[in-house]
């Protein structure tokens, strides 16, 4: 069975993709290859960071692998927080801090359009492939829902009456940025 390292420390993400991908491929995490160090993410684009993480693991362990990176891009803020989504309110700040900063920055803006972008970078036998997933939506004025993480309580996907935080993970994954990028990765692996 073909084996891939998913360059993430998030066990939930690994379980989730293993479930979708079935038994044809084995997905293992960083812990299983003994990688305990922090993987650098110093690029200024989402794709650049995804590739940097995958490349770091491939170069060090010579094993086929993939990595993902995600950002929330808000139109009225020229694409911010984008690549800085995890630390928008400053280093080490909470999801709540980031949400409050975003709501503050948008308080006088009528254009609330935003999108999540995920890029998955895959390296097989030293060849690189990128897969992109996008969901368009809007930033609402007050938080709604308790599920999910990050900006989920203030992001309402287009054509939906609910925020990501009001959906269960199955409903969210079907339409989400990460779900779409992962589906593209899976189709590619199954066809190659
Ligand atoms: P990562 O690249 O998956 O670590 O995502 C970077 C940051 O984007 C996270 O720390 C969150 O703030 C935000 N983010 C990523 N995916 C989601 C999502 O599905 N919902 C809400 N926020 C997200």
């Amino acid at each position: 069975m073909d084996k891939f390292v998913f360059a993430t420390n998030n066990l939930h993400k690994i379980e989730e993709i293993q479930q979708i991908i079935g038994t044809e491929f084995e997905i293992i995490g960083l812990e299983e290859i003994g990688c305990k160090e922090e993987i650098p993410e110093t690029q200024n684009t989402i794709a650049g960071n995804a590739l940097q993480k995958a490349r770091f693991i491939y170069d060090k362990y010579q094993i086929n692998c993939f990595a993902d990176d995600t950002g929330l891009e808000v139109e009225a803020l020229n694409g911010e927080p984008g690549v800085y989504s995890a630390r928008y309110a400053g280093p080490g700040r909470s999801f709540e801090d980031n949400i409050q900063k975003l709501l503050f920055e948008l308080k006088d803006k009528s254009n609330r359009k935003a999108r999540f972008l995920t890029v998955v970078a895959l390296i097989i036998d030293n060849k690189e492939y990128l897969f992109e997933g996008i969901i368009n939506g809007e930033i609402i004025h007050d938080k709604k829902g308790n599920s999910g993480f990050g900006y989920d309580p203030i992001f309402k996907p287009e054509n939906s009456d609910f925020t990501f935080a009001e959906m269960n993970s199955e409903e969210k994954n079907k339409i989400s940025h990460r779900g779409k990028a992962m589906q593209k990765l899976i189709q590619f692996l199954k066809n190659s």
Side-chain angles (χ1 to χ4, degrees):
M1 184 171 33
D2 283 339
K3 205 189 251 192
F4 293 89
V5 172
F6 185 177
T8 178
N9 285 310
N10 186 333
L11 287 182
H12 177 75
K13 282 190 186 175
I14 297 172
E15 263 167 42
E16 191 178 278
I17 190 161
Q18 184 73 69
Q19 249 172 29
I20 317 175
I21 214 165
T23 52
E24 218 171 310
F25 303 97
E26 187 186 355
I27 308 297
I28 60 173
L30 292 173
E31 214 181 277
E32 282 168 87
I33 57 168
C35 175
K36 294 200 176 84
E37 64 209 294
E38 185 124 347
I39 304 178
E41 276 183 67
T42 54
Q43 304 303 301
N44 55 13
T45 61
I46 304 288
N49 272 340
L51 208 45
Q52 184 181 25
K53 288 188 268 187
R55 178 54 65 201
F56 180 87
I57 296 302
Y58 189 84
D59 287 347
K60 189 148 189 206
Y61 298 90
Q62 302 294 314
I63 182 165
N64 291 337
C65 64
F66 59 91
D68 71 335
D69 201 60
T70 296
L72 174 65
E73 300 179 335
V74 179
E75 197 171 275
L77 302 176
N78 303 314
E80 276 188 19
V83 75
Y84 304 108
S85 295
R87 51 204 145 105
Y88 190 39
R93 303 298 288 273
S94 66
F95 289 145
E96 179 62 25
D97 294 334
N98 289 337
I99 285 179
Q100 291 312 325
K101 168 146 173 82
L102 185 57
L103 290 178
F104 178 77
E105 297 294 337
L106 281 178
K107 72 179 176 354
D108 300 322
K109 310 264 193 230
S110 53
N111 176 4
R112 315 282 299 191
K113 281 189 200 156
R115 67 176 202 174
F116 274 111
L117 164 68
T118 293
V119 175
V120 173
L122 168 71
I123 305 182
I124 301 183
D125 303 333
N126 212 25
K127 285 203 204 85
E128 299 171 346
Y129 307 88
L130 295 180
F131 307 94
E132 201 179 80
I134 290 173
I135 175 86
N136 291 306
E138 62 175 295
I139 303 299
I140 60 169
H141 289 86
D142 296 296
K143 294 192 292 172
K144 272 170 83 184
N146 300 307
S147 310
F149 69 101
Y151 300 91
D152 279 349
I154 53 168
F155 183 82
K156 192 162 77 64
E158 65 184 4
N159 304 320
S160 170
D161 293 331
F162 303 103
T163 66
F164 269 163
E166 294 175 295
M167 300 179 187
N168 62 37
S169 55
E170 207 179 322
E171 288 165 333
K172 180 184 163 188
N173 291 338
K174 246 189 246 165
I175 59 167
S176 81
H177 44 299
R178 197 167 21 261
K180 286 177 183 164
M182 288 299 174
Q183 283 301 342
K184 287 187 189 170
L185 168 76
I186 290 166
Q187 280 316 313
F188 177 86
L189 292 178
K190 290 194 167 172
N191 293 331
S192 57

